[in-house]
Amino acid sequence: MQQAAKAERQLAVILFVQLRQFEQIADMLEPEIVIGLVNEFLSLVGETAERVGGETLGVQNDTAMIAFRGAPPLQTTQKATQTALALQVELTGLAERWKSNYGVQTAAAMGLHLGEAVFGDTGPTSATRIVGAFGDTVAIAERLARRSRAGEFVLSDAVMGALSVSNHPLNAIPLPPIDMPRRPPVRIFGVVLDNRLDFT
C-alpha cells in the first residue's frame, strides 16, 4: 500500500520566472551548452530566492516556480518582491554574458501572486517525490509571468495590497487588468524598464 503524501493548504506568494526566447537558444546551440545555460539560470534563481527563504518548487522548460510561505502576508510579499527586484538586475547581467559569449539574446519575465495554494509531496514513487504547489494562485502567477514583458515583472493586486501596509519601496505602475476564465478580472501592476527590450 502506497504511503499517503504529506499535504497542506497555505497562504503563499508564488513567483514564476520565465526566460524569453530560450526555445530559439536551445535550437541554436550545442546540447551541452544549452544544459549548462539552463543550470546557470536555475542556480541563480534558486540561490537568490533561498537567501530570503524562497523555495524552488519546479522547473518546466524555460520557467522556474518559486514559493514564499510560512510567514505573514507582509513578510512573504516583501521577500518575493525583493527576490524579483534582485533577479531583474542579476538576470540582466546573465543575459549580457550569454550575448557576449554565445551571441544569443534573452531576458527574464516574472509574475507574482498572493493566495492560498495546496503544497505537498508529489511524484510517482516515494523515492522521486518533490514538493509541488497547486491551485488558482499558481495558475494566476503563471499567467502574470506570461503577461510580463521581457526584463519586467507583474504583480497582482493581492501582492500590492499586502505591500501597501508597509513602506516597502516598489515603483510599480497600474496595467490593464487581465481576464481569466471563470473568475473576475485580475488587477495588475508592473515594475517596468525605462527602455523596453525589442522582444516580449
Side-chain angles (χ1 to χ4, degrees), residues 17-57:
V17 186
Q18 181 186 61
L19 276 179
R20 293 290 165 83
Q21 300 204 141
F22 198 74
E23 296 91 343
Q24 295 92 321
I25 292 173
D27 290 339
M28 291 170 55
L29 301 177
E30 293 297 319
E32 294 81 4
I33 296 175
V34 172
I35 297 303
L37 296 183
V38 168
N39 287 331
E40 184 180 4
F41 162 68
L42 295 176
S43 294
L44 178 57
V45 171
E47 290 166 7
T48 303
E50 287 170 11
R51 283 198 290 267
V52 293
E55 307 167 75
T56 303
L57 298 187

Side-chain angles (χ1 to χ4, degrees), residues 57-92:
L57 298 187
V59 178
Q60 183 174 359
N61 195 14
D62 54 6
T63 303
M65 179 173 64
I66 314 295
F68 300 84
R69 57 186 176 133
L74 175 58
Q75 292 181 20
T76 54
T77 51
Q78 286 178 331
K79 290 177 179 180
T81 52
Q82 177 184 340
T83 298
L85 286 167
L87 287 173
Q88 195 174 40
V89 174
E90 294 179 18
L91 290 170
T92 298

Side-chain angles (χ1 to χ4, degrees), residues 90-149:
E90 294 179 18
L91 290 170
T92 298
L94 176 141
E96 290 171 353
R97 292 196 304 276
W98 289 7
K99 186 173 183 179
S100 174
N101 294 338
Y102 304 105
V104 296
Q105 188 174 26
T106 189
M110 294 175 275
L112 301 90
H113 182 55
L114 167 67
E116 285 193 339
V118 172
F119 293 89
D121 297 336
T122 60
T125 66
S126 59
T128 60
R129 284 177 182 164
I130 61 171
V131 176
F134 305 91
D136 205 45
T137 296
V138 177
I140 292 174
E142 185 175 19
R143 176 66 181 274
L144 296 186
R146 294 200 302 268
R147 168 64 177 79
S148 178
R149 286 180 173 266

Side-chain angles (χ1 to χ4, degrees), residues 136 179-184:
D136 205 45
D179 293 317
M180 297 183 67
R182 299 179 299 279
R183 58 174 69 81

Side-chain angles (χ1 to χ4, degrees), residues 14-16 77 81 84-85 88 109-114 140-141 143-149 151-164 168-179 185-193 196:
I14 303 296
L15 165 63
F16 274 86
T77 51
T81 52
L85 286 167
Q88 195 174 40
M110 294 175 275
L112 301 90
H113 182 55
L114 167 67
I140 292 174
R143 176 66 181 274
L144 296 186
R146 294 200 302 268
R147 168 64 177 79
S148 178
R149 286 180 173 266
E152 301 178 349
F153 65 91
V154 170
L155 311 91
S156 68
D157 58 346
V159 174
M160 290 297 292
L163 291 174
S164 68
H168 188 65
L170 191 64
N171 188 24
I173 63 171
L175 298 173
I178 60 170
D179 293 317
V186 179
R187 294 177 59 230
I188 61 174
F189 301 81
V191 178
V192 302
L193 300 175
R196 282 186 165 169

